């Protein structure tokens, strides 16, 4: 399944871009934008929640918990004209299960410019925070970037990828922006959305899914109440996760921990069919079977879950066409 990603911005140009963001926000004619819920839209925030729900239903395979949590959280948040705090979601699961895909859909269906919107900000530890020895500098830059962009536009989306690779201590600068305080550095921050993505907790989610399968329970019977405690504990116990001693989880600043279940063979098949359709190709059975047969599965005995989810589907289709 192809996943669109927001272009990353080098940290050397961040402070310069702050000025551009402020100027762009000042020039935007917000009175020309209206939300579907009857209130004025800020900046290019133009939520299409029915479109998001439809896309998730059609293209996000095997993730009943993630679909329900994301849609429910966004509906409540977007329809609230004066939220008491930003929406903060933490996405967890094995590689290739749809976490990045969902984050790209949020940008697409919440902002007119999608991932190209100046109010969608994507951070990668490898690109933006590559040197742990520079953490203090990163903290100052990140705080300035978030503060400056929220001053320019309260309706901003911040995506933090690969949280399990973030420098320890960096995320603590976000804590004041995530809670229910009324004023933070003079910014209108309560309408912002923060999305954190990581593989942490994936092993625990996989184990729960495996136990459910062995007990002959339907996948859709797996509940959030079963999964969330295990994922939260895995994050709290991991010194490699960006939330480590940041106070974000300890202060209960997350609105939802969103688990992504491991994908089985029939889910990967749906991904293959979806990708072929996006490429404008007929669903040739020999290509579908070749992709499925070339995919590795685990555990060794059951061969139940795809090791890479749907992450390598696109490249495998290209190989077998």
């Amino acid at each position: 399944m192809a996943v669109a990603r927001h272009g990353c911005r080098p940290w050397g140009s961040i402070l310069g871009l702050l000025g551009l963001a402020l100027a762009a926000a000042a020039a935007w004619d917000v009175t020309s934008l209206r939300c579907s819920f009857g209130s004025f839209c800020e900046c290019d925030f133009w939520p299409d929640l029915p479109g998001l729900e439809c896309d998730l239903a059609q293209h996000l395979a095997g993730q009943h918990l993630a679909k329900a949590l994301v849609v429910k959280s966004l509906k409540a948040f977007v329809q609230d004209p004066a939220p008491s705090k930003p929406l903060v979601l933490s996405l967890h699961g094995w590689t290739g299960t749809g976490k990045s895909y969902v984050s790209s859909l949020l940008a697409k269906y919440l902002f007119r410019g999608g991932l190209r919107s100046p109010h969608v900000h994507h951070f990668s530890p490898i690109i933006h925070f590559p040197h742990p020895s520079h953490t203090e500098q990163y903290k100052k830059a990140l705080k300035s970037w978030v503060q400056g962009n929220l001053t320019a536009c309260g309706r901003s989306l911040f995506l933090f990828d690969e949280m399990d690779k973030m420098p320890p201590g960096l995320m603590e600068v976000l804590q004041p922006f995530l809670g229910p305080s009324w004023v933070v550095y003079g910014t209108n921050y309560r309408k912002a959305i923060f999305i954190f993505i990581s593989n942490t907790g994936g092993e625990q989610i996989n184990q729960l899914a495996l136990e459910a399968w062995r007990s002959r329970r339907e996948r859709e019977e797996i509940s959030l109440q079963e999964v969330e405690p295990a994922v939260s504990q895995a994050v709290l116990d991991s010194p490699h996760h960006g939330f480590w001693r940041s106070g974000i989880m300890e202060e209960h600043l997350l609105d939802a921990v969103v688990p992504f279940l491991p994908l089985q063979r029939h889910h990967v098949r749906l991904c293959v069919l979806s990708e072929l359709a996006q490429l404008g190709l007929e669903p040739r059975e020999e290509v579908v079977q070749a992709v499925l047969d070339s995919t590795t599965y685990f555990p060794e005995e059951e061969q139940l879950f795809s090791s890479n989810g749907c992450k390598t589907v696109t490249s495998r289709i290209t190989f077998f066409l």
Side-chain angles (χ1 to χ4, degrees), residues 123-142:
F123 299 92
S124 163
I126 296 175
I127 296 174
H128 299 109
F129 319 110
H131 307 294
S133 60
H134 297 169
T135 299
E136 290 305 314
Q137 296 162 266
Y138 295 152
K139 288 166 72 172
K140 292 177 182 178
L142 179 59

Side-chain angles (χ1 to χ4, degrees), residues 8-250:
C8 298
R9 293 163 178 161
W11 275 99
S13 62
I14 275 187
L15 294 181
L17 286 173
L18 273 177
L20 294 177
L22 287 167
W28 198 279
D29 182 10
V30 296
T31 60
S32 65
L33 302 177
R34 289 183 179 274
C35 295
S36 57
F37 298 107
S39 61
F40 282 102
C41 283
E42 296 94 336
C43 312
D44 65 339
F45 186 73
W46 190 274
D48 177 11
L49 297 188
L52 172 64
E53 196 167 1
C54 179
D55 207 325
L56 288 172
Q58 290 183 346
H59 301 122
L60 185 64
Q63 304 298 352
H64 67 285
L65 291 175
K67 289 177 188 176
L69 269 174
V70 168
V71 171
K72 180 179 178 181
S73 299
L74 276 173
K75 280 184 176 179
F77 183 73
V78 170
Q79 295 181 36
D80 186 348
S84 61
K85 66 181 292 295
L87 177 62
V88 186
L89 303 178
S90 189
L91 281 50
H92 299 265
W94 204 248
T95 182
T97 52
K99 303 183 299 298
S100 294
Y101 180 66
V102 168
S103 68
S104 71
L105 289 185
L106 294 183
K108 176 181 178 180
Y109 287 103
L110 292 178
F111 292 85
R112 300 185 90 180
L115 287 163
R116 295 181 179 273
S117 168
H119 309 296
V120 174
H121 313 282
H122 180 208
F123 299 92
S124 163
I126 296 175
I127 296 174
H128 299 109
F129 319 110
H131 307 294
S133 60
H134 297 169
T135 299
E136 290 305 314
Q137 296 162 266
Y138 295 152
K139 288 166 72 172
K140 292 177 182 178
L142 179 59
K143 177 181 174 181
S144 296
W145 181 251
V146 173
Q147 180 181 344
N149 279 281
L150 287 179
T151 301
C153 178
R155 287 290 191 187
S156 294
L157 172 63
F158 298 92
L159 303 172
F160 291 86
D161 207 357
E162 296 186 293
M163 283 292 292
D164 38 348
K165 297 179 182 177
M166 288 288 179
L170 175 63
M171 292 293 105
E172 68 183 23
V173 301
L174 295 181
Q175 185 181 352
F177 296 101
L178 306 182
S181 301
W182 283 89
V183 178
V184 175
Y185 312 125
T187 64
N188 178 19
Y189 76 106
R190 288 170 292 155
K191 293 184 178 181
I193 299 174
F194 291 82
I195 307 294
F196 300 97
I197 304 170
S198 76
N199 294 340
T200 305
E203 292 184 9
Q204 289 76 10
I205 296 171
N206 293 352
Q207 186 60 37
L208 287 167
L210 179 60
E211 291 172 1
W213 181 82
R214 287 173 174 170
S215 301
R216 298 187 178 182
R217 293 174 57 200
E218 292 293 333
R219 184 185 181 90
E220 287 70 24
E221 293 178 18
I222 300 174
S223 68
L224 180 63
Q225 289 71 26
E226 294 176 71
V227 182
E228 184 179 23
V231 174
S232 297
Q233 194 60 52
V235 173
L236 287 170
D237 292 343
S238 174
H240 303 293
H241 194 279
F243 288 160
W244 178 254
R245 295 181 178 175
S246 66
I248 292 175
M249 292 200 71
E250 292 85 348

